[in-house]
Amino acid sequence: MNTRTFENTAEFALAMDAADPIRGFRDRFHMPLTEDGTEGIYFTGNSLGLQPITARGYIEQELDDWARLGVEGHVHAKTPWLPYHEFLTEQMARVIGAKPIETVVMNSLTVNLHLMMVSFYRPTLERRKIVIEKGAFPSDQYAAESQLRCQGLDPRAYLVELVPREGETVLRTEDVLEEIEREGDSISLILLGGVNYYTGQAFDMRAITEAGHKAGAVVGFDLAHAAGNLKLQLHDWDVDFAVWCSYKYLNGGPGAVGGAFVYERYAQSFDLCRFAGWWGHDKETRFLMGPEFRPIAGAEGWQISNPPILQMAALRASLEIFDEAGMSTLRAKSEKLTGYLEFLVGQIMNERISVITPTDPAQRGCQLSIKVENADKNLFYTVTERGVFADWREPDVIRIAPVPLYNSFADVYRFAEILNGCLNS
Ligand SMILES: Cc1ncc(COP(=O)(O)O)c(C=O)c1O
């Protein structure tokens, strides 16, 4: 569907909703209310996804089993706790386009990033640099810089930051690829976000991975804003590793357990440097409590501690829903929903705002980033006072993320009316 077929009317939005094959999924989530008790327009699924109505039942099951069985729940709970993370693997693998052996649900994002860098950032005399984006999420920047320092390397010399061209707000793929070629065999690791948290730009992960490998580098992605948002094919794209969180598009709840992907070719690479813990130890012999660490083959071997079951229970509820809806279907709706948002915002003639997210649907996910002239945060306050859940990112952006699982075309239409009212009345 292209922009010319959109219409700026409530009837059109309602007709789009009526024709939406997955409109019913909205009823599977708790929709937060505004102060006056009415349903809000929730566009912050890129920050904290909504609670699946089934999450409570999944968590209560574990609480009941804990009450009933105590320690025996590790083996005798309805969903036994010892292998609990395994019950999430296949569904998570489908969300990220990976094989189960490449996928593990564990820890949180930045922790996983460090674990991956310990294994995959192995600088040599010639290859020492880490390539990231300037303006990457700060945690990635801190993690990369601290890994460099731990290797005795000065980030000012060995951290390469990709910067958009003068006067532009997002990176051009051709510039990213050129920079990788130029830095060539000085690069040890390329670490980019799948989708930039601020601009909403999605990177061409396949092309970047190919260019990185051609240069002899390892390529990893932070998928915080991509998992459950884009149709990922990490295995087919040949990505070396990836990490993500589950509290955004994956609706796993505040502080949800994140995940890591490690390409199959490393499944048996037991000699890789890694921070070991008993949960990554071979399952057959874990409880023999021997002194020698023998990692599980595949991504599971990067686990360290036994996982938080209550958090994983909430995530299971959400992954069930993802499996039912399917990433292809979600993505197809998402492109239309965000396209409609872009169309309606474009109809609001006002010089106080501009959209900095790429217009090409292949270069973005759900989110549009609306830049506010003179960093006027009052616009954000007024919009949120009128029932919109959005967020402000310094210095000057309002992020709006219509999520295909639970947002509607009518939400987008109502938001555009509110924004128009705030700007033009
Ligand atoms: C792109 C990106 N990377 C990293 C993080 C940090 O995640 P965590 O607190 O789970 O380590 C976030 C959090 O919002 C993020 O958006």
Side-chain angles (χ1 to χ4, degrees):
M1 170 167 265
N2 66 37
T3 310
R4 274 167 301 174
T5 54
F6 288 135
E7 289 172 27
N8 188 356
T9 63
E11 293 71 32
F12 177 81
L14 291 174
M16 287 296 284
D17 284 330
D20 170 13
I22 56 168
R23 64 185 178 280
F25 280 94
R26 182 185 179 93
D27 299 334
R28 311 260 198 108
F29 292 89
H30 290 286
M31 188 59 73
L33 303 178
T34 59
E35 271 174 19
D36 65 9
T38 56
E39 260 191 13
I41 304 174
Y42 197 81
F43 283 155
T44 40
N46 57 346
S47 184
L48 185 73
L50 291 183
Q51 183 186 135
I53 288 170
T54 46
R56 188 178 296 270
Y58 276 74
I59 293 172
E60 276 175 0
Q61 176 71 53
E62 303 316 326
L63 288 172
D64 288 348
D65 286 350
W66 178 23
R68 200 167 48 88
L69 299 166
V71 71
E72 295 296 323
H74 284 295
V75 179
H76 297 300
K78 185 172 174 222
T79 313
W81 303 329
L82 267 181
Y84 202 93
H85 70 276
E86 295 172 27
F87 301 114
L88 295 99
T89 305
E90 290 196 10
Q91 290 172 338
M92 187 63 96
R94 283 194 277 279
V95 168
I96 58 163
K99 296 187 176 183
I101 196 164
E102 299 170 321
T103 310
V104 62
V105 173
M106 63 176 188
N107 308 319
S108 40
L109 193 158
T110 313
V111 171
N112 287 336
L113 190 53
H114 277 298
L115 296 180
M116 291 295 112
M117 282 201 274
V118 161
S119 296
F120 294 106
Y121 175 55
R122 307 302 302 162
T124 61
L125 260 176
E126 302 77 41
R127 283 186 187 279
R128 297 179 154 188
K129 290 184 179 168
I130 303 180
V131 176
I132 65 169
E133 332 147 57
K134 192 173 175 62
F137 191 82
S139 205
D140 292 16
Q141 174 111 15
Y142 306 152
E145 289 192 3
S146 61
Q147 289 281 338
L148 281 162
R149 284 202 196 90
C150 286
Q151 299 281 352
L153 299 172
D154 183 348
R156 283 170 303 187
Y158 296 107
L159 192 69
V160 179
E161 295 182 88
L162 302 170
V163 190
R165 291 185 191 189
E166 186 76 28
E168 297 186 7
T169 45
V170 295
L171 287 162
R172 296 192 194 193
T173 306
E174 74 240 43
D175 292 353
V176 176
L177 303 183
E178 246 181 67
E179 184 77 8
I180 292 171
E181 204 183 327
R182 194 169 33 250
E183 292 287 349
D185 55 16
S186 71
I187 309 174
S188 173
L189 170 67
I190 297 166
L191 175 68
L192 297 180
V195 175
N196 181 284
Y197 81 101
Y198 183 77
T199 63
Q201 176 181 23
F203 290 104
D204 186 338
M205 289 179 250
R206 181 200 289 269
I208 291 168
T209 305
E210 200 184 321
H213 287 171
K214 209 165 144 207
V218 172
V219 183
F221 290 98
D222 169 350
L223 302 176
H225 285 264
N229 179 13
L230 302 180
K231 175 118 176 70
L232 299 167
Q233 292 170 269
L234 298 186
H235 178 85
D236 291 349
W237 297 340
D238 208 25
V239 168
D240 293 294
F241 73 85
V243 293
W244 60 95
C245 55
S246 305
Y247 42 78
K248 299 179 188 293
Y249 295 102
L250 291 178
N251 310 319
V257 190
F261 163 90
V262 181
Y263 194 95
E264 197 179 21
R265 67 177 147 271
Y266 304 110
Q268 310 278 343
S269 300
F270 301 128
D271 52 347
L272 274 173
C273 178
R274 65 174 100 194
F275 285 169
W278 76 314
W279 223 253
H281 189 279
D282 170 43
K283 290 173 209 172
E284 301 298 316
T285 55
R286 184 190 283 146
F287 282 92
L288 296 181
M289 306 297 194
E292 189 199 333
F293 177 65
R294 289 187 23 211
I296 307 168
E300 275 187 292
W302 270 266
Q303 294 173 108
I304 293 185
S305 299
N306 83 99
I309 301 300
L310 300 183
Q311 281 292 358
M312 284 197 167
L315 184 54
R316 277 186 68 214
S318 175
L319 290 180
E320 293 279 342
I321 297 176
F322 268 89
D323 228 25
E324 226 182 290
M327 277 312 303
S328 300
T329 308
L330 289 171
R331 179 66 184 151
K333 175 174 171 188
S334 173
E335 287 188 15
K336 286 184 203 154
L337 209 52
T338 298
Y340 192 46
L341 173 65
E342 181 181 46
F343 165 78
L344 293 179
V345 172
Q347 299 248 308
I348 301 170
M349 299 297 184
N350 196 291
E351 287 171 359
R352 283 168 64 198
I353 58 163
S354 56
V355 174
I356 60 168
T357 309
T359 51
D360 174 8
Q363 289 188 60
R364 68 186 185 202
C366 298
Q367 174 185 326
L368 286 190
S369 301
I370 300 176
K371 180 174 185 272
V372 185
E373 287 311 313
N374 305 317
D376 178 8
K377 207 170 173 180
N378 283 325
L379 178 63
F380 167 70
Y381 292 134
T382 337
V383 167
T384 52
E385 269 162 23
R386 297 186 189 186
V388 178
F389 288 78
D391 62 21
W392 174 266
R393 283 292 172 268
E394 296 295 343
D396 56 7
V397 152
I398 298 174
R399 300 190 308 176
I400 300 291
V403 168
L405 262 178
Y406 47 72
N407 284 124
S408 63
F409 290 85
D411 287 340
V412 171
Y413 182 80
R414 277 173 63 209
F415 165 72
E417 273 203 318
I418 290 171
L419 183 65
N420 191 18
C422 294
L423 285 164
N424 293 325
S425 64

